[in-house]
């Protein structure tokens, strides 16, 4: 009888131990069971792992090193990297028109673009005639890009009419600057045939003015532009004005322009210079994940106080959709809807 009781006790004890082991196994298993999103329920999962569809790196196409896009691009890359965990890098490029083509070809994810060039590209007009781009959309508007006709103060060039027969840099064929130069010449009764057109970038243009190889240059960029500041440090510069009546005529024909003004003190100018501008914007590939574009937009527009460039004062969430003439990425739209 005693032995029977002991045997029964041992059997019950063994069963109890097995039950405890099974419960422990279930609890342990629950800590490693994957949830519907593929992540372990007991592990912390970052937004990048959940929402960015594996995107770890992005390239931001800017422009030449002496323009405005490049330094701003470096700042944006830092903000995006810090806030999203996605490594962003600013890349030197041939600027607006080339940037649209590069985005369409999948060579980068984000790019600086003039608003007028983005419009031409998506509508297949001017330099994009018959080659409309439908795979690129807007992230947001940035700041005015002033069309600056730069020359030396002692060049004798004071008006557009004075350009006749002169060597003038108009930017690369197909570039935003080239289109701006062509349209401003048109409004002033001139064509490319009336000048000795030179296809130079910003740095080459100001070097050419300094050396006397060219007489003037069209430079479309946010002021103060590094290349023009460098020129003014060694030679006094002059910006040829766009008078009010000509600005109105230009805007009537090409509504993506706006009246602008280069204030006295810029480049050592003694008085304000009336000018016109287009907008600078960021464009992105349409197929970028919505949550990534939302996070990038937030990283930039929530941190404009960290932008040291003078144009940072113009970059604001409340004006982030101003002047945008193309579709906006859903991720960016979501951000701007939230901050209204």
């Amino acid at each position: 009888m005693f032995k029977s009781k002991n045997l029964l006790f041992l059997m019950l004890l063994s069963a109890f131990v097995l039950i405890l082991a099974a419960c422990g196994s279930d609890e342990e298993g629950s800590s490693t069971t994957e949830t519907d999103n593929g992540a372990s329920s007991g592990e912390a999962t970052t937004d990048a792992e959940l929402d960015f569809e594996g995107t770890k790196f992005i390239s931001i196409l800017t422009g030449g090193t002496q323009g405005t896009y490049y330094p701003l691009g470096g700042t944006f890359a830092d903000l995006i990297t810090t806030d999203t965990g996605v490594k962003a890098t600013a890349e030197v490029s041939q600027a607006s028109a080339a940037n649209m083509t590069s985005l369409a070809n999948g060579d980068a994810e984000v790019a600086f673009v003039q608003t007028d060039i983005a419009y031409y590209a998506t509508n297949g007009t001017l330099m994009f005639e018959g080659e409309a781009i439908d795979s690129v959309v807007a992230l947001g508007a940035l700041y005015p890009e002033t069309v600056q006709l730069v020359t030396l103060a002692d060049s004798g060039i004071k008006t557009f009419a004075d350009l006749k027969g002169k060597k003038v840099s108009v930017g690369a064929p197909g570039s935003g600057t080239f289109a701006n130069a062509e349209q401003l010449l048109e409004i002033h009764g001139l064509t490319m045939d009336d000048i000795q057109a030179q296809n130079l970038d910003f740095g080459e243009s100001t070097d050419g003015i300094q050396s006397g190889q060219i007489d003037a240059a069209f430079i479309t960029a946010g002021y103060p532009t590094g290349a023009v500041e460098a020129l003014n440090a060694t030679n006094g510069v002059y910006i040829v004005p766009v008078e009010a009546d000509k600005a109105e005529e230009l805007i009537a024909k090409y509504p993506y322009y706006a009246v602008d003004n280069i204030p006295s003190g810029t480049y050592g100018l003694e008085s304000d210079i009336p000018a016109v501008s287009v907008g600078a914007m960021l464009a992105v590939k349409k197929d970028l994940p919505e949550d990534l574009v939302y996070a990038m937009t937030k990283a930039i527009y929530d941190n404009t106080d960290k932008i040291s460039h003078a144009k940072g004062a113009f970059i604001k969430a409340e004006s982030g959709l101003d002047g945008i003439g193309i579709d906006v990425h859903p991720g960016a739209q979501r951000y701007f809807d939230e901050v209204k």
Side-chain angles (χ1 to χ4, degrees):
M1 183 69 178
F2 180 79
K3 288 183 179 181
S4 297
K5 287 183 177 180
N6 282 344
L7 181 59
L8 179 60
F9 175 78
L10 289 174
M11 290 173 65
L12 290 172
L13 181 61
S14 296
F16 182 71
V17 170
L18 288 173
I19 291 171
L20 286 178
C23 290
S25 177
D26 285 343
E27 290 175 0
E28 196 172 87
S30 68
S31 68
T32 57
T33 300
E34 290 190 343
T35 61
D36 290 342
N37 61 30
S40 297
S41 61
E43 297 175 356
T45 306
T46 66
D47 286 343
E49 289 170 336
L50 281 176
D51 304 321
F52 300 164
E53 298 178 16
T55 306
K56 301 297 182 185
F57 305 95
I58 61 167
S59 291
I60 304 174
L61 298 178
T62 61
T65 57
Q66 297 192 59
T68 305
Y69 289 171
Y70 185 71
L72 276 178
T75 299
F76 292 171
D78 289 342
L79 294 175
I80 290 169
T81 300
T82 299
D83 278 24
T84 71
V86 175
K87 175 63 177 175
T89 306
E91 309 285 354
V92 175
S93 76
Q94 295 300 310
S96 293
N99 287 355
M100 287 295 290
T101 300
S102 293
L103 286 181
N105 291 339
D107 298 330
E109 291 73 36
V110 186
F112 283 76
V113 185
Q114 290 178 202
T115 52
D116 54 335
I117 300 302
Y119 179 85
Y120 301 150
T122 55
N123 287 277
T125 58
L126 289 186
M127 69 283 289
F128 295 96
E129 186 71 40
E131 298 180 358
I133 293 175
D134 62 4
S135 58
V136 176
V137 291
L139 182 147
L142 298 174
Y143 58 86
E145 288 207 277
T146 307
V147 186
Q148 306 166 72
L149 178 51
V150 182
T151 187
L152 296 182
D154 59 1
S155 69
I157 299 174
K158 301 299 179 184
T159 68
F160 276 78
D162 296 329
L163 294 177
K164 285 186 177 180
K166 298 295 196 298
K167 293 180 179 179
V168 183
S169 173
V170 294
S175 69
T177 298
F178 187 94
N180 301 147
E182 195 168 44
Q183 290 159 357
L184 273 168
L185 288 171
E186 173 196 348
I187 293 301
H188 288 87
L190 302 171
T191 69
M192 290 290 179
D193 292 335
D194 293 314
I195 62 175
Q196 299 182 55
Q198 311 291 308
N199 304 121
L200 308 175
D201 66 24
F202 294 170
E204 292 169 338
S205 294
T206 52
D207 287 347
I209 292 173
Q210 183 175 11
S211 66
Q213 294 179 328
I214 64 172
D215 302 296
F218 284 91
I219 292 179
T220 301
Y223 63 79
T225 307
V228 184
E229 286 189 308
L231 176 62
N232 187 62
T234 55
N235 305 79
V237 303
Y238 179 72
I239 309 296
V240 178
V242 179
E243 301 300 344
D245 60 331
K246 292 299 181 183
E248 290 177 8
E249 187 178 345
L250 180 73
I251 294 167
K253 186 166 187 178
Y254 303 108
Y256 38 75
Y257 283 98
V259 172
D260 203 351
N261 180 72
I262 303 174
S264 62
T266 308
Y267 312 132
L269 296 171
E270 295 181 356
S271 60
D272 292 357
I273 300 294
V276 293
S277 63
V278 291
M281 60 177 279
L282 286 177
V284 296
K285 292 173 59 179
K286 182 186 289 186
D287 61 1
L288 282 185
E290 179 177 331
D291 287 322
L292 174 58
V293 177
Y294 172 86
M296 292 193 299
T297 309
K298 183 177 179 64
I300 293 170
Y301 289 90
D302 276 6
N303 293 289
T304 55
D305 58 320
K306 298 176 183 177
I307 301 173
S308 59
H309 193 282
K311 285 303 173 187
F314 293 87
I315 303 172
K316 300 176 181 178
E318 54 265 35
S319 59
L321 297 179
D322 290 358
I324 298 294
I326 66 173
D327 290 342
V328 179
H329 194 287
Q333 186 68 58
R334 172 154 58 99
Y335 170 81
F336 290 120
D337 287 343
E338 288 179 359
V339 298
K340 281 183 180 179

